[in-house]
Amino acid sequence: MAAAARFFIRGANSRLSISGFGTGAQSCFGAALLRLSPGCSSRTKTQRRHASHFTYQPDPVPTQYGPTQKMNLFQSVTSALDNTLASDPTAVIFGEDVAFGGVFRCTVGLRDKYGKDRVFNTPLCEQGIVGFGIGVAVAGATAIAEIQFADYIYPAFDQIVNEAAKYRYRSGNLFDCGNLTIRAPWGCVGHGSLYHSQSPEAFFAHCPGIKVVIPRGPVQAKGLLLSCISDKNPCIFFEPKILYRAAVEQVPVEPYTIPLSQAEVLQEGSDVTLVAWGTQIHVMREVANMAQEKLGVSCEVIDLQTILPWDTETVCKSVVKTGRLLISHEAPITGGFAAEISSTVQEECFLNLEAPISRVCGYDTPFPHIFEPFYIPDKWKCLEAIKRMINY
Amino acid sequence: CGTMLTNISNVLRACAQRNVSALYTTVCEILDFILLQKCDTHKLDEAPATEVVMTREEGLQYYRTMQTMRRMELKADQLYKQKIIRGFCHLYDGQEACAVGIEASINLSDHLITAYRAHGYTYTRGGTVKEIMAELTGRRGGIAKGKGGSMHMYCKNFYGGNGIVGAQVPLGAGVALACKHQGRNELCVCLYGDGAANQGQIFETYNMAALWKLPVIFVCENNRYGMGTSVERAAASTDYYKRGEFIPGLRVDGMDVLCVREATRFAAEHCRSGKGPILMELQTYRYHGHSMSDPGVSYRTREEIQEVRSKSDPISMLKDRMLSNNMASVEELKEIDVEVRKEIEDAAQFATTDPEPPLEELCNHIFYNNPPLDVRGTHPWSKLKSVS
């Protein structure tokens, strides 16, 4: 038990005592981890257990898209869908429980505004939802399908991979289902356990023909979602569910698009490149600050945004500059998308690398129920990885 | 008349095990035949018995079990609101008669699989309240060692506890195939809800089960709402007992424990005689919302919930039946209530104070492996061990 503890905190903080692992030591371990993040000092044990592993860092207010309004992630999604239904008369939104607003309130008010033939519920059948969506898209209408949790997307996997992705290719460009967009809540949420926390982007990254997009906040979400809807290819849009309420930003009310397949450099740096997407970006930003303060290391933070097809150029250019790369995601490490990035970067930038590419990801286990705080790649593990790369 | 004879012979068989002096009292206690509501049938020539007998012991046992389940769910509700239970918690109160009725007509050697509203079934299949509550709070004393949580509870011949809707049904048919193949006279009760009844894999399973005459009882627990969607808005046909088409079906009042018992007895006989699968729709109701994050009142009225609670609550119905037939006194039932409350309190205490599973458990039991397996994780230099 003590050995396991040492794995997690080796070198990170010598002030922690690793005496044993009963309830007492666990809570002091957890407390010590959290004591070091600001504003977590005086809480009860139950409250400490539930503090999240990141602090949301909002984007600066965008000025080029017109007037803005304070929105959180689910409201920005509603705004994007509202814009779409208003401008595109063929657009339809469907999924489980979308009519009353959806389990995460992403479609609130749309049915009342646009009618029940444009925003409607489907029965409980993911395979049916996506198959039906493909049909709607092929016939020419804009289909926005919602899968209630990304963990439930697997019955639809066959439809997505075998039908949607290959439609244009197999018909020689005669037919396509580019009008299809699939939205699904994604990622860990603190208490989701096995079937409400998964990040399946790697499964779909292996499939040419579809696009996979993951935003980091409300401004990005609205722009990227509108891009996905207008994109002439079937797109899967994963929304980090932990950010639905936690992420609040000033979001433009008018429609605007953010280009797909373009990674965004959030912070320039010269020593290490950090690549992540979705919720993990906010962890990386904290890591970048910590690395600057404690290690004097300047980090360049890149949000990949589009997983497939991904922006190899931005990432490689950055690695050529810094020489070190750290990629982080919540999904298990084996076969996770970090493997693809790592492999491509070593091909392109082999001689520029100062240290092996580091991947800080989830363990190769199913997403655990009670062990979630130990499973996720938090800022301490990332900082540790940076240290090792610097001292290589 | 045939049913009367069967009933009397059941009575005498039950009496044969008691001494003669008690025979008189026993006969008086149980000779009041209880009349049940008739079941709707689909592709069946016979139907479950409508005149049934319930002994005092059976009645008290059903009462105790249902009351334990009810109090356990209410306690889980309390603990969830105190944030001692986290994650997802789907409560079973209101539907107790289904679990108790089914278990009354099958043996512990038969098999059962259900979806995520599984706390009740975990209890009737042999789990203890302590283990169930500790699993809800994620402690090492939990029935799945704290690694599964609310939706993943298992015990002998009970295959969970499944989170993905509808995924458990083909699994249940597989279990039934194994039983048939290995010549064991066992069957599998395979439960799902009204929402899941629209999943494709259910229909695939109906086909396989009927084709290969598998000993499986499909049970659709129709509590009228698939999360927030009422059955009328989700299904083209709400006659769930007919959905098996070529599989015979029964529609049963799921709030009456004796109805469920008789229907299950009928269904079990059907399966065990080699006639193949059978489908039962249990019309029931849940008082809580879909899960603890659903208040349960945005898609149905409080009046509706109140009405069901006052008119068709399974525990109240059983209590009234027993009191009006002089099978038990008010004090006896109150005593059972007090005992049950104590048991639940103790279990909650245990569940709150038991330590969490040790950190090694994070990686254990991923694969079946003989020498312990290395598990890669966040850093390539730190590998954890997976032991199975």
Side-chain angles (χ1 to χ4, degrees), chain A residues 210-247:
Chain A
I210 49 171
K211 294 198 174 180
V212 180
V213 179
I214 307 179
R216 67 171 183 276
V219 174
Q220 305 302 112
K222 179 166 169 174
L224 289 169
L225 181 54
L226 286 169
S227 295
C228 285
I229 293 172
S230 56
D231 191 275
K232 303 246 185 297
N233 295 296
C235 298
I236 305 182
F237 187 75
F238 287 125
E239 301 160 0
K241 61 173 88 70
I242 201 174
L243 298 179
Y244 272 135
R245 281 179 201 271

Side-chain angles (χ1 to χ4, degrees), chain A residues 304-381:
Chain A
L304 203 60
Q305 290 183 343
T306 306
I307 304 297
L308 182 74
W310 66 283
D311 188 357
T312 49
E313 211 182 301
T314 308
V315 175
C316 290
K317 248 188 10 204
S318 170
V319 176
V320 163
K321 183 170 71 165
T322 63
R324 296 176 189 86
L325 176 62
L326 176 110
I327 317 157
S328 182
H329 57 64
E330 293 162 16
I333 189 169
T334 299
F337 198 64
E340 157 65 23
I341 300 178
S342 174
S343 179
T344 307
V345 168
Q346 67 86 26
E347 272 172 17
E348 302 287 326
C349 320
F350 184 72
L351 291 173
N352 300 92
L353 287 173
E354 302 278 344
I357 299 174
S358 197
R359 297 181 286 158
V360 181
C361 310
Y363 285 92
D364 282 336
T365 71
F367 200 100
H369 167 54
I370 190 81
F371 296 115
E372 181 167 334
F374 301 110
Y375 170 91
I376 46 179
D378 56 22
K379 53 193 178 201
W380 302 111
K381 298 181 189 174

Side-chain angles (χ1 to χ4, degrees), chain A residues 39-307:
Chain A
C40 282
S41 44
S42 53
R43 289 191 197 177
T44 64
K45 179 177 170 195
T46 331
Q47 285 173 313
R48 273 201 307 255
R49 258 180 76 195
H50 308 149
S52 62
H53 65 284
F54 68 98
T55 322
Y56 180 73
Q57 325 228 355
D59 274 354
V61 180
T63 46
Q64 68 269 49
Y65 301 121
T68 64
Q69 194 188 328
K70 189 162 108 154
M71 293 189 213
N72 59 27
L73 186 63
F74 71 75
Q75 286 166 337
S76 72
V77 170
T78 317
S79 173
L81 295 174
D82 195 349
N83 292 140
T84 307
L85 288 170
S87 59
D88 182 348
T90 67
V92 282
I93 300 178
F94 51 92
E96 290 159 26
D97 299 308
V98 297
F100 85 94
V103 285
F104 290 108
R105 306 172 67 70
C106 293
T107 48
V108 170
L110 296 177
R111 186 179 168 99
D112 296 328
K113 198 165 166 192
Y114 295 102
K116 60 184 195 312
D117 53 333
R118 295 187 70 190
V119 180
F120 54 91
N121 282 341
T122 59
L124 216 167
C125 43
E126 287 74 22
Q127 188 171 22
I129 292 172
V130 174
F132 172 83
I134 295 172
V136 170
V138 170
T142 304
I144 304 164
E146 178 181 302
I147 299 287
Q148 198 154 80
F149 279 89
D151 314 54
Y152 307 158
I153 205 168
Y154 306 114
F157 196 75
D158 172 70
Q159 285 287 347
I160 296 173
V161 168
N162 276 334
E163 306 297 325
K166 302 179 164 67
Y167 222 116
R168 192 189 290 273
Y169 188 90
R170 72 187 184 202
S171 65
N173 207 17
L174 202 58
F175 286 105
D176 70 88
C177 56
N179 295 327
L180 175 65
T181 307
I182 301 169
R183 291 178 37 243
W186 166 101
C188 79
V189 70
H191 54 269
S193 87
L194 288 90
Y195 299 111
H196 295 80
S197 320
Q198 288 177 35
S199 318
E201 69 271 8
F203 292 112
F204 296 101
H206 193 55
C207 175
I210 49 171
K211 294 198 174 180
V212 180
V213 179
I214 307 179
R216 67 171 183 276
V219 174
Q220 305 302 112
K222 179 166 169 174
L224 289 169
L225 181 54
L226 286 169
S227 295
C228 285
I229 293 172
S230 56
D231 191 275
K232 303 246 185 297
N233 295 296
C235 298
I236 305 182
F237 187 75
F238 287 125
E239 301 160 0
K241 61 173 88 70
I242 201 174
L243 298 179
Y244 272 135
R245 281 179 201 271
V248 184
E249 282 176 353
Q250 289 284 357
V251 181
V253 268
E254 295 299 310
Y256 63 98
T257 55
I258 293 179
L260 297 182
S261 295
Q262 264 189 34
E264 192 178 329
V265 180
L266 298 178
Q267 183 179 319
E268 303 246 352
S270 55
D271 297 323
V272 187
T273 304
L274 308 177
V275 174
W277 48 88
T279 321
Q280 199 66 8
I281 278 290
H282 304 289
V283 177
M284 289 315 221
R285 273 170 141 166
E286 262 188 87
V287 171
N289 291 341
M290 276 166 35
Q292 183 67 62
E293 276 169 29
K294 297 185 200 289
L295 310 170
V297 167
S298 147
C299 300
E300 178 148 310
V301 179
I302 299 184
D303 180 2
L304 203 60
Q305 290 183 343
T306 306
I307 304 297

